[in-house]
Amino acid sequence: MIDVKQAVNLAVKFFTELSPQGGIVFEEVELAQNGGNPHWLVTLSVPSPGSSGLIGPLGTRDYKVLQIDAEKGTLESVKIRKL
């Protein structure tokens, strides 16, 4: 089983390959079960289109949740997280 550090590193790698943009920030991680299969839910944020890229009142961020299979280390899904 991959550990939390590996899961976060894989999530950043996968997301960068899918959407090569700067300003990726790790936000949170959770180990969950999906039908008996463990998976990591890794939340990353990126600057919103048209944003200054800053965090706070001068810039907004979009949040993405990447589901990583905890046994195989494969990307299962990428979803938009609404706050």
Side-chain angles (χ1 to χ4, degrees):
M1 184 158 115
I2 63 172
D3 66 23
V4 67
K5 288 180 183 179
Q6 291 171 310
V8 172
N9 286 332
L10 284 170
V12 171
K13 176 182 173 273
F14 289 139
F15 190 77
T16 302
E17 290 173 359
L18 294 171
S19 180
Q21 60 181 314
I24 296 173
V25 174
F26 165 69
E27 299 290 345
E28 64 185 23
V29 65
E30 173 186 5
L31 181 61
Q33 298 282 66
N34 183 9
N37 299 324
H39 58 272
W40 292 102
L41 298 175
V42 181
T43 303
L44 304 175
S45 68
V46 294
S48 298
S51 173
S52 66
L54 301 175
I55 299 173
L58 297 177
T60 58
R61 300 191 63 83
D62 292 333
Y63 296 87
K64 312 293 182 179
V65 178
L66 290 84
Q67 181 175 312
I68 309 289
D69 184 293
E71 296 296 331
K72 299 181 235 170
T74 56
L75 178 65
E76 300 292 323
S77 69
V78 179
K79 296 182 180 181
I80 297 170
R81 179 173 176 184
K82 299 286 186 189
L83 296 182

